[in-house]
Amino acid sequence: FPEAMNRYPVAFRDLLVKSITANSTAFKEEREGPLELVGNKTDIALLHLVQEHLGVHDISRERADIDTLQIYPFDSTRKAMALVYRVDHSRCRVLVKGAAEVVLRACTTIVAPGPSTQRDISTLEMSATDHKTLNRAIKAYASASLRTIGLAYRDIAMELVTGNESQEKAGIGFEELFGDMTWIGLFGIHDPLRPEVTDAIQQCHSAGVKVKMVTGKLKS
């Protein structure tokens, strides 16, 4: 992962960190000891990534530095969540995270590699080859029982979110934003079974119960 990051400008690292830390529902909480991440397991896995490989030591500070304008919570129908934040006085940025195949369909460009000293992010039109390559990767991850997550972004004019002097803007719908996106990256997340699950499934089989899926948490 660090080697791959070296192929991109430092601005891409900032974009990736914001995409993961800001567009997330996980948070740190003290539970009988030191602070630990709690919340959605997918969000927690991605936050561990930026902590361990991107040098993010204070997630709260990263979030505090972002001027968030609008949040779109995860919706099972659209299989994605989004956040809009202010970049400067005239521009804001939309960050989207969701099911990889859904996010990919909304993308028309892709982040381009560049020297680490480059200040801005460059993009390239997503070719048919790029699309096929990413689709194959998504299917390969899914075949390996990995949860596939895609990240994308889009820059839009500030007035589309906040309105202007002659127009009030109460908010812009997710569907209006979710198009002409730029692909950031694909992640495959391993969600291992708890140690006790194997014995539980064997007991089910012994009782004549066929197990089709194991998901969620067991609560007493």
Side-chain angles (χ1 to χ4, degrees), residues 46-142:
L46 291 173
L47 288 173
H48 279 307
L49 174 76
V50 298
Q51 287 181 317
E52 295 172 12
H53 298 288
L54 294 178
V56 175
H57 304 294
D58 192 335
I59 293 171
S60 298
R61 177 173 294 180
E62 289 285 345
R63 290 174 173 170
D65 290 340
I66 296 173
D67 184 5
T68 301
L69 301 175
Q70 211 157 331
I71 294 175
Y72 302 84
F74 179 81
D75 184 285
S76 58
T77 301
R78 61 180 176 239
K79 298 182 179 180
M81 60 192 293
L83 176 142
V84 183
Y85 73 95
R86 186 190 307 271
V87 176
D88 53 40
H89 70 282
S90 63
R91 180 173 53 116
C92 55
R93 179 163 288 170
V94 184
L95 304 175
V96 174
K97 176 177 67 184
E101 70 280 4
V102 173
V103 176
L104 181 59
R105 284 198 295 267
C107 292
T108 56
T109 54
I110 188 168
V111 173
S116 60
T117 54
Q118 183 177 316
R119 292 182 176 273
D120 298 319
I121 297 171
S122 298
T123 62
L124 295 170
E125 182 179 351
M126 183 178 287
S127 66
T129 300
D130 292 330
H131 201 275
K132 288 179 181 178
T133 299
L134 288 168
N135 256 323
R136 282 198 298 266
I138 291 169
K139 290 178 181 178
Y141 282 6

Side-chain angles (χ1 to χ4, degrees), residues 1-2 5 9 18 29 32 37 48 63 68 84-85 89 103 118 128 136 143-144 149 151 172 183 192 202:
F1 187 78
M5 289 297 297
K18 282 185 169 60
E29 182 177 87
E32 300 179 356
L37 288 167
H48 279 307
R63 290 174 173 170
T68 301
V84 183
Y85 73 95
H89 70 282
V103 176
Q118 183 177 316
R136 282 198 298 266
S143 297
I149 301 296
L151 300 180
I172 186 170
W183 179 263
Q202 290 177 348

